[in-house]
C-alpha cells in the first residue's frame, strides 16, 4: 500500500464509524501561543477537548501535518539516526469529544490494524499505563491480546502535548520488525533499539494540566489517537526504515543528485530529505527564517540540512533544489505547498547563500581545533569561541564531535555562556534577556544559547 492509500484507508475507516473528516491545519497553532509548532493531531482540537470550542460533531478524524523540532516533543537529534523519527511527519488520528472512550478506541485501532491493514496479531505489542487496570482488562479480555506481548509502563504511557494542556494515560501499539533488527520490546532495557517500533498511541484524555502542574479533570473524558503515517507505510511496504518508503524514494534521489552523493542510506542524505519537508511546510505556513521564536527554529533546521550537504561534498547551494521533488511527491495532497513552492525556493536559496560563508569559515576552524586536540574532549572554551566569535552554531559543533567520537565539554561551554550573558546583562541598559524571546514552551535550557549563538552568527555574517 502506498502512503496516500494508507492515509485514505484510515480516513474512510473512521468516517464509516461516524467520524467527521477534518482537513489538516497549519503547523503554526492558531489557538496556542504556548506551543512552538503543531506537534500532534490533537493540537487543532485542543479547545474542543477543553470544552471551549463547541463543534457540530463529537467524533473527528484527520491526517495532520506535524513538526517535532523543539519544545516538549523534540526529535531533531534523532533524525537520520533512528529508522522512525522525522522532524516533519503526518499523524493520522481519530478523536472522541466526550463520546466513546477506552473500549471503542481500542477496538477501532485493533480492527483497523488487523482487519483493514491485515497485520498479523503476533507482531503487535501493546502497553498501557501502570495504573490503568481498565485498559488492561479491555486488551486482555475483549481483544484477547497475548499477555506475553503486553506490558504496563509509567512515563511512556502518559501523554501530554506540552507542559500545560490536555493529557492523560495512554496505550501504545508497537510493531515487531523481527530479529534481524536490534532492539527489545517496550519496557525492556533495549527498547531504544528499532526492532519494536511504536506505530499508534491511544490517549485517554482525562486531564488539563495547568501552569502550576495540577491535573484538572476535563469536562468529559475523551479520546485522542495518533498514528505515524510514515511508520505504518514502512510496515505495509515491508521495509524497516521510514526512509525506505515510497514517499522518500524520490526525495532521497533528488537529495543524492543535488549533493552529488549517491548512497541513499547515508544518514546525512536522510537528514536532508527529512529537513526539506519540515522547512518547506513551515515556510508554506508562513514561518520565515529569523533570529527568534519559530523563525529561529526554522533557520536552525535549514542550517542543519546545509551542514549535512556540506559534509557530503556539496559546494554550491543545493537545498532549495529539492522543492521540485517535494512538490511532485506531496503537492497533490497539499495544494498549499504547491502554491508556495516558488517562494519556498527563494527563501531557502537566500538562506543557503548567507550561511555558506559562516559555515566554511567555522568548519575550517573546528577541524583545526580537532586536529590539535590532545585527548578526546573538546574544551568548552573552544566551542564557545567558535560560536561566539565566529558564529558557528553549537549544535553543528556537537554533530561534528559525535561523528569524530570526541566528547564536547558542554558544562564548560555553559559556564562560558553564562559568563557572557552576565556581561551582556551588565552592559545592557535594559537588562533584557533575549533568550526569553524563543522560550515558547517554558524550556530555557537549550533555546537560550542557540538564540545567542545565532545572534553571533548573524553578526559574523555581517562582519565578514
Ligand atoms: P517515539 O516513542 O517513537 O518517539 P512518541 O511516543 O514520541 O514516539 P507520540 O507522541 O505518541 O509519539 O505520537 C503518536 C505517533 O506519531 C507515534 O506512535 C508515531 O507513530 C508517530 N510519531 C511520533 N513522533 C514521530 C516522529 N518524530 N516521526 C515520525 N513519526 C512520529
Ligand atoms: Mg518521541
Ligand atoms: Mg513513545
Ligand atoms: Mg507515544
Amino acid at each position: 500500500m502506498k502512503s496516500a492509500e494508507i492515509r485514505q484507508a484510515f480516513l474512510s475507516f473512521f468516517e464509516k464509524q461516524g467520524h467527521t473528516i477534518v482537513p489538516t491545519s497549519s503547523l503554526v497553532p492558531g489557538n496556542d501561543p504556548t506551543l512552538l509548532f503543531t506537534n500532534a493531531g490533537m493540537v487543532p482540537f485542543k479547545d474542543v477537548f477543553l470544552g471551549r470550542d463547541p463543534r457540530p460533531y463529537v467524533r473527528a478524524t484527520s491526517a495532520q501535518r506535524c513538526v517535532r523540532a523543539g519544545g516538549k516533543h523534540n526529535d531533531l537529534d534523532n533524525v537520520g539516526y533512528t529508522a522512525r523519527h522525522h522532524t516533519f511527519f503526518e499523524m493520522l488520528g481519530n478523536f472522541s469529544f466526550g463520546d466513546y472512550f477506552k473500549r471503542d478506541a481500542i477496538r477501532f485501532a485493533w480492527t483497523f490494524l488487523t482487519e483493514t491493514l491485515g497485520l498479523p496479531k503476533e507482531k503487535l505489542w501493546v502497553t498501557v499505563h501502570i495504573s490503568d487496570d481498565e485498559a488492561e482488562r479491555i486488551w486482555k479480555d475483549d481483544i484477547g491480546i497475548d499477555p506475553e506481548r503486553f506490558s504496563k509502563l509509567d512515563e511512556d504511557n502518559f501523554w501530554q502535548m506540552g507542559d500545560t494542556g490536555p493529557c492523560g494515560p495512554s496505550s501504545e501499539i508497537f510493531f515487531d520488525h523481527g530479529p534481524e533488527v536490534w532492539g527489545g520490546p517496550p519496557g525492556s532495557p533495549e527498547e531504544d533499539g528499532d526492532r519494536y517500533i511504536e506505530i499508534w498511541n491511544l490517549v485517554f484524555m482525562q486531564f488539563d494540566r495547568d501552569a502550576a502542574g495540577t491535573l484538572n479533570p476535563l469536562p468529559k473524558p475523551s479520546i485522542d489517537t495518533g498514528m505515524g503515517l510514515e511508520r505504518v507505510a514502512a510496515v505495509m511496504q515491508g521495509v524497516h526504515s521510514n526512509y525506505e518508503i515510497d514517499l522518500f524514494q524520490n526525495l532521497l534521489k533528488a537529495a543524492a543528485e543535488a549533493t552529488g552523493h549517491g548512497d541513499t542510506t547515508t544518514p546525512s542524505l536522510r537528514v536532508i530529505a527529512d529537513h526539506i519537508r519540515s522547512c518547506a511546510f513551515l515556510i508554506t505556513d508562513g514561518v520565515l527564517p529569523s533570529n527568534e521564536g519559530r523563525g529561529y527554529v526554522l533557520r536552525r533546521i535549514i542550517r542543519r540540512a546545509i551542514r549535512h550537504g556540506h559534509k557530503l561534498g556539496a559546494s554550491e547551494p543545493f537545498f532549495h533544489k529539492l522543492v521540485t521533488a517535494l512538490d511532485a511527491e506531496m503537492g497533490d495532497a497539499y495544494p498549499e505547498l504547491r502554491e508556495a513552492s516558488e517562494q519556498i525556493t527563494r527563501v531557502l536559496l537566500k538562506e543557503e547563500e548567507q550561511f555558506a560563508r559562516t559555515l566554511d569559515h567555522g568548519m575550517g576552524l573546528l577541524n583545526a581545533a580537532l586536529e590539535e586536540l590532545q585527548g578526546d574532549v573538546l574544551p568548552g572554551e573552544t566551542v564557545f569561541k567558535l560560536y561566539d566569535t565566529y558564529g558557528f552554531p553549537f549544535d553543528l559543533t556537537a554533530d561534528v564531535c559525535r561523528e569524530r567520537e570526541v566528547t564536547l565539554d558542554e558544562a564548560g561551554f555553559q559556564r562560558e555562556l553564562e559568563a557572557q550573558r552576565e556581561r551582556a546583562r551588565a552592559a545592557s541598559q535594559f537588562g533584557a534577556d533575549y533568550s526569553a524571546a524563543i522560550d515558547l514552551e517554558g524550556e530555557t535550557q537549550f533555546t537560550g544559547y542557540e538564540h545567542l549563538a545565532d545572534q553571533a552568527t548573524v553578526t559574523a555574517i555581517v562582519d565578514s
Side-chain angles (χ1 to χ4, degrees), residues 68 75 84-86 89 159 172 198-199 201 226 228 231:
R68 292 192 171 183
D75 289 332
R84 67 184 198 277
H85 287 107
H86 300 298
F89 64 101
W159 197 89
E172 297 192 323
E198 179 191 326
I199 50 174
N201 195 358
R231 294 190 190 183

